[in-house]
Amino acid sequence: MPQMTDERVRAGLTREEDLSLLHEVSVKTAGVSHLEMCIQCGTCGGSCPAARDMDHTPRMLFAMLRAGMREEVLRSNTPWICVSCYHCVVRCPQEVHIADVMYTLKGMAIKANLFSDSTAPHFSQTFVDMVESYGRSFEFGLASRHYLRHFPLRLPGMMPMGIGMLTKGRMALTPKRIKKMDQLTAILNKAKTLELTS
Amino acid sequence: MNKYLFYPGCSMESSAKAYMESLNTILEPLELSFEEIEDWNCCGATEYLGINLIPAYSLIARNLALASNQMNPMNGTGATHTIVAPCSACYLNLAKADHYMQERPSLGAKVNQALEAGGLHYTPGTLDVRHLIDILVYDVGVEKIRSKVVHPLTGLHVAPYMGCMLPRPDYKHRWSDHEHPTELVDVLRALGADVIDYPLTTECCGGHMTQIGPETAFELIRRLVADADDRGADLMATVCPMCQMNIDAYQNEMNHFFGTDYHIPVLFFTQLMGLAFGREPEELGIGAELVSARNALAHIGVEVPVTQEPAGPRKKSEGLPMPRRLNKHEGKEVVK
Amino acid sequence: MTERVGVYVCHCGSNIAGTVDVVDVANWAEEKLAHLGVVVAREYKFMCSSLGQELIEKDIKELGLTRVVVAACSPHLHEKTFRTAAKNAGLNPYLVELASIREQVSWVHTDKAVATAKAKAVISGAVSRVIRNEALDELKVPINPNTMVVGGGIAGIQSALEIANAGFHVYLVEREPSIGGHMAQFDKTFPTLDCSACILTPRMVEAGTHPNITLLTWSEVVNVAGYVGNFHVTVKKKARFVNEELCTGCGICEEKCPKKVIDDVFEAGLGYRKAVYTPFAQAVPKFPVMDKENCTYFQKGTCKACEKFCPTGAIDFTQEDQLLHIDVGNIILATGYDLFDARQVSNYGYGRLPNVFTSIEFERLSNAAGPTNGTIVMRDGKSTPKSVGIIHCVGSRDKNFNNYCSVICCMQGLKFAHLVHERTGATVYNFYIDMRTAYKAYDEFYQRVLEEGTLFVRGKVAEVTDAARYSNEKGKLIIQVEDTLAGKQRRIPVDMVILSAGLQPRYDAKDVGKLFGISCSTDGWFTEKHPKLDPVATMTEGIYIAGCAQGPKDIPSSVAQGAAASARVLDKILQKEVALEPVRASIDKDSCSGCRICNGLCPFNAISFIEDDHVSDINPALCQGCGTCVAACPAGAISGTGFSDEQIMAQIDGLLMKNLEPEIA
């Protein structure tokens, strides 16, 4: 983030506009994001089933990206509330890859350590840890680790469900592991050294 | 016998076992042959994409690479290039990786760089990624499904729930509509079920929010269950393990949260197909659902005559005529 | 004989001189191209100015120039200017070449050295070419003073009346049973709220009774041959099954016809008509048509109620389609638009949710002559809405449907808001992305609607649903939208939704364009000759366009274009003859193998095949000199005047500087 000049700080401006932010997000997003094409029509904010729980609507987040408000954008809970339902994506008149931009913003927030609530990033990370260890998801391990850490108070209420899942054979107590775990690890290790830059 | 490569996805072995069991019973009557991809791995669901992009796509692409090797006729497995996923999230991830690796060649190149570390390669566009119900409607055909019905689900009021990741974003324009698709409705009607008008059919089940933001998720589940209940559904039919899990396993907690008392069982559409094809409930994993479908299915345990009257002819209405519905598969009509 | 060539390098202010060293270029040309005949090379600030032209004229006379190269802008802009200048000085205008050093050099380069070198190459090519040019004579053809106007909407009616009033004959062709077009369906017109029928029907009657207008309704153009001044048009006059000589338009046949059909065209599917019908009371002409597909007699062989009751015996079941051959000198296409099919936006529920209406449905609903006599009611035919949501930009400004702005929908949406407010007192919401009210008295109308209390929400509506989430939403249509000015998602329950649907090209616009030899833009609208300076002409001489066929527009603009197209036609008619560009292709009959490859390629239908000689032949009046056939001919039998192989090869050599004399070391 660019350094604030004393003069601007004295003038009461707390933030330096970072006009490269929009481009950076666009480049880091899978596919061709069309992010710069946003016309601020609000189709995304209107479509979002979870908008009421977001601090900014997706449209507003895009305006903030344009305005270079890096920290405010990365601190927003909006990408973490996104449920990936793709309603906004198919309705967007400018074909912006909105859901994929949300994934990009999550990744950037994790890297910058700028999320305000750790529940979601930790859940994603726990899930990824399981997959990186076994090659498959492991619901029991994931659930027990995640709930103990983030929702200990939710556990009593969830007991019947958990027991139901176990007794009905819908949750295994031990993980399944793929055969060529070495191969997958090699692929992921290599992948972690790569980034989308153009 | 139509042959396909099959990517089951993690849930089919655990929380959605009933989906797998019921799917297995309908393959033979519909003359389908599914060959599982050797040593497939998790698609990363919606979690990995938000952590790190290239590893997330590489994880998905390993499956595509394995499948494209397996489809090679030199391996003697038959030359189908269609890969079927029964889970909407898996379907979308596989389709998305294939699509974006083409749309953004630099992504494709980086993913292949990673795959090479494991001795693999995937050329985007090689495979056709499709969902189970797409195969059933567009390859097998509704007529064939209808012809296998021995126990019509007459009298069972079913809310057709497609979920969100199946009809959207729809990179290959496979579905009849992004918002109100007809594929599931057509299958359920072929089974003889009374399919209710369910406008929320492609609304979200809450996705991973049940894990990270339960209050957000409970509201989404409430909307779906309340509207289904309001419109007289006996149960909901779904095509996706995550949808089933969220609406079934968290319904109780949702009721508790809102002080409501909804009781809408959620079954996989393959379970209903199995029933209509004359299979026993226990062969189809029925009973594994947490919101029991027992009472709802009692309706079809006995023969119930058609109770719903067909809609009256339009000319009798005093009102103004309605425009005809648009059928996107019939080509675009022109309104002058 | 060595030609004497003058080269004139234009600065175009700083347009060219800013990037190209024009002085260096002129000096270079005079020195290095002298062996090709260049005797003078000059640069000047604005060659196209009268002083610049006089400079060239003076040199032609005083230095005896036999060829001229003007290095300036694209020939599209000033080729005619300089050819005229040459002609004034006594030089054949086709001995002038333009070298484009603006569009192809200065505007596309930033490096001055590179641009200067390229300008030299372009001029070198032009000089090599011009010394091989031939003097050509313009072709003159007489102009048939009759005109055809295709499309009987307000633009076409205006065109026809202007020409007819000037004393020339017009054939007005309309494929529906009556002229009037979309405007006849409307109730009020923005921004003044004139009654649409009140201002339109006098024009329709005038067109219908004008001695200089032949009205051909229920008719379509099926073939066009010929060229400017001499078009031969074939019109299919569909069987009406009503003898126009005998019919008095009394309407008894329609009254007695037992077959009721939903009227998808005039009533937009919201009302009914009979199998024999006139689409509306003020239809011009007054004669009904019989809809064969729905007529009980045609389908089942019995009925003939219309025939029985017709007092003048005008019903004629034996009528057949007729082909009329009509010769005209000019053609105006005013074929209009189709309304966007709102069913495609499935999240707005049109076709699924009964109380979602399209704009054209609402026009009929609010029209005193419409199916509800102007009472604004919901789909049940009875209830008055207490709240109405009007959604703008339906199918427009949306890459999923049409990318362009349909121009009229904002004003249309405001008009609807006013009408709903005035007639029902309902609460009215307008949902818009940007409010576009950019013509005379339009923004004032917006102010008026604001004043009336319409509630505006800035946001593109995400969806219209009947899935109630809260108790106040039960039984309503809920409009879900982000109020982008408040930054919040809102759910607004209403009784009725009106979709301000966009305009799109006629479904058959491409085929019609092909029929008349004109092209369509990527969006599908007919392409004008120049988007600013020649908006009603097309690249095909003698074919003009007017109204929405050219692009979305409102009634005032359609009328203006209709009149403008007529002015262009009258100009042509009064010239009595037209000069055609002599740049034409011709076929060397001895080399032609008769393979006919060129026949289908000609975009202007200028090539025909002479069976007896087994060779193809080009009609010089039809040929536009595009060169397609020249390039395609496998035998090399076709050459273009002004574009001979020799000229083109010489120009290429020139571009590559192969025409320069070797430098003496």
Side-chain angles (χ1 to χ4, degrees):
Chain A
M1 193 170 169
Q3 284 295 308
M4 294 294 294
T5 59
D6 289 349
E7 173 192 356
R8 283 174 61 94
V9 173
R10 275 199 303 278
L13 297 171
T14 54
R15 178 178 56 77
E16 189 80 43
E17 287 186 0
D18 179 357
L19 298 183
S20 65
L21 180 60
L22 186 83
H23 180 70
E24 182 186 333
V25 174
S26 187
V27 164
K28 285 183 174 168
T29 301
V32 181
S33 80
H34 302 293
L35 190 54
E36 65 291 343
M37 298 301 291
C38 173
I39 57 167
Q40 291 286 305
C41 67
T43 301
C44 46
S47 298
C48 187
R52 53 170 219 162
D53 296 327
M54 292 174 169
D55 47 18
H56 306 294
T57 61
R59 173 200 61 80
M60 204 188 275
L61 211 60
F62 300 153
M64 290 159 69
L65 277 177
R66 248 183 211 164
M69 301 160 80
R70 180 182 290 266
E71 195 170 325
E72 290 92 324
V73 168
L74 295 185
R75 275 197 198 287
S76 167
N77 74 357
T78 302
W80 302 101
I81 301 283
C82 168
V83 290
S84 306
C85 76
Y86 295 88
H87 254 131
C88 54
V89 175
V90 296
R91 290 174 185 170
C92 175
Q94 293 290 84
E95 297 178 341
V96 179
H97 291 354
I98 301 164
D100 292 295
V101 170
M102 294 299 164
Y103 287 128
T104 306
L105 292 177
K106 288 196 224 183
M108 287 172 69
I110 291 176
K111 241 182 196 159
N113 211 20
L114 274 180
F115 40 86
S116 40
D117 179 357
S118 63
T119 316
H122 283 165
F123 177 74
S124 292
Q125 192 57 56
T126 311
F127 186 95
V128 167
D129 289 347
M130 299 287 167
V131 172
E132 288 183 353
S133 311
Y134 310 119
R136 298 276 172 90
S137 81
F138 173 37
E139 286 160 354
F140 183 71
L142 174 66
S144 47
R145 222 169 100 184
H146 181 70
Y147 286 113
L148 279 173
R149 181 166 179 185
H150 287 286
F151 297 106
L153 297 177
R154 224 178 125 191
L155 280 173
M158 290 181 68
M159 281 308 276
M161 186 265 257
I163 291 169
M165 294 296 283
L166 284 170
T167 55
K168 286 173 189 278
R170 291 178 62 180
M171 197 153 66
L173 288 168
T174 48
K176 282 207 174 186
R177 185 192 291 269
I178 63 167
K179 286 181 213 145
K180 292 186 182 165
M181 198 55 221
D182 295 351
Q183 182 192 47
L184 178 60
T185 307
I187 290 171
L188 294 178
N189 284 344
K190 175 70 189 172
K192 283 174 190 171
T193 66
L194 303 170
E195 218 181 321
L196 263 187
T197 50
S198 61
Chain B
M1 212 37 115
N2 280 325
K3 269 189 141 176
Y4 299 91
L5 292 167
F6 185 58
Y7 176 85
C10 304
S11 320
M12 296 299 272
E13 304 182 323
S14 54
S15 58
K17 259 165 80 174
Y19 196 3
M20 193 69 233
E21 286 164 15
S22 53
L23 170 57
N24 281 331
T25 68
I26 63 165
L27 292 178
E28 203 222 296
L30 298 177
E31 293 171 72
L32 290 168
S33 158
F34 284 4
E35 181 185 297
E36 188 168 325
I37 296 164
E38 275 293 324
D39 204 38
W40 55 270
N41 58 259
C42 172
C43 73
T46 52
E47 302 316 309
Y48 214 153
L49 290 167
I51 296 269
N52 202 341
L53 189 85
I54 305 288
Y57 279 94
S58 304
L59 182 80
I60 304 168
R62 178 175 176 268
N63 295 309
L64 297 173
L66 292 175
S68 67
N69 286 342
Q70 206 165 323
M71 77 169 213
N72 187 340
M74 299 304 284
N75 289 353
T77 59
T80 174
H81 67 291
T82 302
I83 173 167
V84 184
C87 165
S88 303
C90 299
Y91 157 75
L92 173 57
N93 271 350
L94 295 171
K96 182 182 252 203
D98 183 51
H99 179 75
Y100 281 162
M101 283 173 77
Q102 280 184 83
E103 184 179 296
R104 189 90 178 273
S106 60
L107 174 71
K110 296 235 153 99
V111 168
N112 269 319
Q113 237 178 298
L115 287 180
E116 269 156 37
L120 293 173
H121 180 88
Y122 178 65
T123 308
T126 312
L127 291 164
D128 216 7
V129 181
R130 295 171 66 187
H131 186 274
L132 175 63
I133 194 164
D134 175 11
I135 302 292
L136 293 185
V137 172
Y138 295 111
D139 287 7
V140 174
V142 171
E143 280 320 305
K144 180 148 186 177
I145 295 173
R146 199 192 313 278
S147 74
K148 301 291 171 190
V149 172
V150 295
H151 183 169
L153 308 182
T154 315
L156 188 68
H157 295 91
V158 183
Y161 181 55
M162 278 282 268
C164 44
M165 292 187 186
L166 189 55
R168 292 187 298 270
D170 194 15
Y171 300 114
K172 296 269 159 36
H173 308 287
R174 297 191 188 284
W175 306 99
S176 55
D177 192 58
H178 294 146
E179 315 262 351
H180 301 276
T182 55
E183 283 82 359
L184 180 58
V185 175
D186 292 343
V187 170
L188 293 172
R189 288 222 172 105
L191 303 180
D194 290 333
V195 184
I196 65 162
D197 175 33
Y198 190 51
L200 302 186
T201 182
T202 66
E203 292 290 320
C204 177
C205 67
H208 69 175
M209 294 310 284
T210 45
Q211 316 299 316
I212 61 178
E215 294 180 16
T216 302
F218 292 158
E219 167 62 13
L220 298 187
I221 295 169
R222 182 192 73 81
R223 290 175 197 164
L224 293 170
V225 174
D227 198 57
D229 187 70
D230 225 33
R231 291 168 191 267
D234 296 321
L235 53 78
M236 278 166 80
T238 176
V239 300
C240 168
M242 183 158 65
C243 298
Q244 200 281 338
M245 173 82 181
N246 275 347
I247 306 170
D248 177 40
Y250 292 91
Q251 200 174 122
N252 188 30
E253 218 187 334
M254 179 276 291
N255 273 327
H256 190 71
F257 183 81
F258 288 109
T260 50
D261 189 24
Y262 292 111
H263 187 92
I264 298 286
V266 191
L267 292 186
F268 293 104
F269 78 112
T270 45
Q271 293 178 291
L272 295 176
M273 287 179 78
L275 283 177
F277 289 1
R279 294 300 189 123
E280 294 306 316
E282 21 320 346
E283 294 175 273
L284 303 166
I286 291 175
E289 68 284 353
L290 298 189
V291 177
S292 171
R294 194 176 297 127
N295 289 342
L297 293 178
H299 288 302
I300 51 168
V302 285
E303 285 290 331
V304 184
V306 186
T307 49
Q308 211 179 345
E309 290 205 3
R314 182 151 71 176
K315 60 184 171 197
K316 279 189 185 164
S317 136
E318 296 171 29
L320 302 162
M322 279 285 288
R324 283 183 300 274
R325 293 286 286 270
L326 183 67
N327 185 344
K328 286 185 186 165
H329 285 288
E330 271 176 18
K332 287 187 180 146
E333 283 188 55
V334 178
V335 174
K336 281 183 195 172
Chain C
M1 171 198 143
T2 316
E3 302 297 344
R4 294 175 65 78
V5 186
V7 174
Y8 298 88
V9 184
C10 181
H11 297 203
C12 196
S14 62
N15 271 310
I16 294 171
T19 322
V20 173
D21 184 343
V22 285
V23 176
D24 179 39
V25 170
N27 289 339
W28 176 88
E30 197 166 275
E31 187 190 333
K32 300 289 180 188
L33 301 176
H35 68 285
L36 295 174
V38 174
V39 293
V40 62
R42 299 185 199 278
E43 31 80 29
Y44 188 70
K45 196 139 188 129
F46 288 106
M47 273 298 166
C48 61
S49 67
S50 42
L51 288 175
Q53 293 180 52
E54 280 163 22
L55 195 71
I56 299 173
E57 289 173 29
K58 194 163 155 261
D59 280 356
I60 293 172
K61 287 181 196 152
E62 293 179 2
L63 301 177
L65 298 183
T66 59
R67 296 288 190 273
V68 169
V69 169
V70 184
C73 51
S74 155
H76 263 301
L77 286 134
H78 276 302
E79 188 175 66
K80 204 171 170 193
T81 310
F82 295 114
R83 280 184 173 172
T84 309
K87 197 173 164 188
N88 292 341
L91 186 68
N92 183 290
Y94 295 92
L95 300 177
V96 176
E97 276 295 323
L98 257 74
S100 171
I101 61 165
R102 192 178 74 172
E103 281 79 352
Q104 294 186 5
V105 180
S106 67
W107 279 357
V108 291
H109 294 287
T110 47
D111 184 321
K112 198 160 183 173
V114 172
T116 303
K118 184 169 166 188
K120 288 174 184 171
V122 172
I123 292 169
S124 157
V127 169
S128 276
R129 177 192 171 93
V130 79
I131 56 179
R132 290 167 176 83
N133 276 17
E134 289 170 71
L136 300 173
D137 292 319
E138 287 178 339
L139 243 63
K140 301 254 184 187
V141 292
I143 290 207
N144 182 325
N146 297 337
T147 304
M148 179 169 288
V149 176
V150 184
I154 186 59
I157 291 173
Q158 183 72 27
S159 291
L161 286 175
E162 299 274 356
I163 296 170
N165 286 339
F168 298 99
H169 199 85
V170 178
Y171 297 90
L172 178 54
V173 182
E174 166 59 53
R175 71 173 156 203
E176 294 300 330
S178 167
I179 58 170
H182 284 101
M183 194 177 165
Q185 294 171 281
F186 300 162
D187 180 38
K188 295 281 188 281
T189 54
F190 58 75
T192 48
L193 300 173
D194 304 81
C195 154
S196 190
C198 309
I199 57 176
L200 174 67
T201 47
R203 297 292 178 97
M204 289 167 60
V205 172
E206 198 184 339
T209 55
H210 204 295
N212 284 339
I213 296 179
T214 304
L215 208 54
L216 297 165
T217 56
W218 205 233
S219 301
E220 281 181 74
V221 174
V222 291
N223 192 41
V224 182
Y227 48 90
V228 56
N230 298 278
F231 289 110
H232 311 293
V233 187
T234 312
V235 175
K236 183 169 92 175
K237 194 168 184 293
K238 292 177 278 187
R240 261 190 143 90
F241 304 106
V242 171
N243 186 329
E244 294 172 26
E245 305 287 316
L246 300 174
C247 177
T248 60
C250 68
I252 289 177
C253 54
E254 190 167 354
E255 196 188 307
K256 297 295 178 189
C257 174
K259 184 70 191 248
K260 213 168 154 189
V261 189
I262 291 181
D263 183 355
D264 278 331
V265 181
F266 192 79
E267 295 294 0
L270 210 58
Y272 299 87
R273 61 163 170 80
K274 296 294 185 62
V276 57
Y277 69 104
T278 49
F280 53 104
Q282 306 97 320
V284 172
K286 63 195 170 185
F287 319 119
V289 295
M290 201 175 296
D291 161 15
K292 210 172 165 180
E293 270 72 56
N294 283 300
C295 169
T296 311
Y297 170 70
F298 276 112
Q299 296 309 314
K300 294 191 181 141
T302 55
C303 179
K304 290 193 170 183
C306 49
E307 193 185 51
K308 263 173 247 156
F309 288 98
C310 177
T312 59
I315 302 290
D316 177 2
F317 290 105
T318 64
Q319 241 183 36
E320 281 178 13
D321 294 351
Q322 266 179 287
L323 291 180
L324 309 176
H325 299 281
I326 299 168
D327 288 349
V328 294
N330 293 280
I331 297 172
I332 297 173
L333 292 178
T335 47
Y337 68 91
D338 282 332
L339 193 72
F340 171 74
D341 181 357
R343 293 176 301 178
Q344 290 180 60
V345 193
S346 64
N347 37 321
Y348 290 172
Y350 179 64
R352 183 165 48 82
L353 304 171
N355 288 314
V356 178
F357 291 81
T358 63
S359 34
I360 196 70
E361 281 184 320
F362 183 79
E363 292 285 2
R364 296 313 299 154
L365 208 53
S366 58
N367 194 309
T372 60
N373 303 319
T375 318
I376 296 171
V377 288
M378 305 210 286
R379 193 79 63 174
D380 65 5
K382 299 189 285 251
S383 323
T384 306
K386 292 191 178 61
S387 49
V388 176
I390 299 166
I391 303 179
H392 294 212
C393 290
V394 177
S396 307
R397 300 185 68 198
D398 190 331
K399 291 197 163 86
N400 300 301
F401 308 106
N402 292 316
N403 207 359
Y404 50 82
C405 168
S406 288
V407 181
I408 56 107
C409 336
C410 277
M411 283 303 290
Q412 171 179 265
L414 293 173
K415 177 182 80 177
F416 293 165
H418 168 81
L419 293 176
V420 172
H421 186 84
E422 181 188 67
R423 306 221 183 134
T424 67
T427 309
V428 186
Y429 298 88
N430 272 53
F431 301 89
Y432 66 99
I433 308 177
D434 296 295
M435 190 60 76
R436 296 184 170 177
T437 54
Y439 290 99
K440 187 174 173 183
Y442 283 13
D443 208 63
E444 291 86 328
F445 188 73
Y446 176 27
Q447 303 287 333
R448 174 177 175 179
V449 176
L450 277 166
E451 226 172 76
E452 288 170 353
T454 292
L455 301 168
F456 287 87
V457 179
R458 190 203 171 275
K460 184 170 162 75
V461 168
E463 65 175 291
V464 178
T465 177
D466 62 344
R469 211 179 272 175
Y470 312 106
S471 53
N472 67 323
E473 297 176 350
K474 293 253 190 253
K476 301 270 186 179
L477 291 173
I478 304 110
I479 296 177
Q480 193 173 304
V481 62
E482 177 180 356
D483 186 326
T484 59
L485 301 179
K488 288 276 177 276
Q489 188 182 86
R490 293 175 65 186
R491 281 170 69 84
I492 300 172
V494 295
D495 294 324
M496 181 187 222
V497 169
I498 306 166
L499 306 178
S500 196
L503 314 185
Q504 58 186 28
R506 286 283 188 197
Y507 68 94
D508 57 353
K510 260 206 181 85
D511 296 335
V512 172
K514 215 169 162 195
L515 191 62
F516 290 91
I518 66 170
S519 58
C520 296
S521 66
T522 45
D523 289 325
W525 306 103
F526 290 148
T527 313
E528 60 279 7
K529 193 164 186 181
H530 190 283
K532 291 145 204 157
L533 302 180
D534 216 348
V536 295
T538 66
M539 295 304 274
T540 301
E541 280 194 79
I543 309 281
Y544 300 88
I545 50 180
C548 287
Q550 182 257 356
K553 56 180 63 65
D554 55 16
I555 294 168
S557 302
S558 296
V559 171
Q561 273 204 344
S566 306
R568 298 298 304 275
V569 169
L570 289 170
D571 164 25
K572 275 269 181 324
I573 295 173
L574 293 172
Q575 287 179 33
K576 294 203 167 60
E577 54 177 22
V578 63
L580 302 180
E581 270 279 292
V583 179
R584 294 288 181 266
S586 60
I587 297 178
D588 174 8
K589 299 214 164 25
D590 295 334
S591 311
C592 175
S593 68
C595 71
R596 308 181 67 163
I597 285 175
C598 56
N599 294 196
L601 289 175
C602 178
F604 305 99
N605 301 324
I607 307 181
S608 54
F609 189 68
I610 305 171
E611 291 287 350
D612 292 347
D613 302 343
H614 203 70
V615 291
S616 293
D617 185 46
I618 296 175
N619 179 338
L622 274 179
C623 173
Q624 302 283 318
C626 71
T628 308
C629 58
V630 182
C633 178
I638 311 182
S639 63
T641 45
F643 287 91
S644 68
D645 286 355
E646 195 203 350
Q647 280 172 298
I648 291 168
M649 294 314 286
Q651 186 171 15
I652 294 170
D653 278 349
L655 274 166
L656 299 171
M657 301 284 196
K658 285 189 180 167
N659 55 352
L660 298 188
E661 288 193 315
E663 294 280 337
I664 298 153

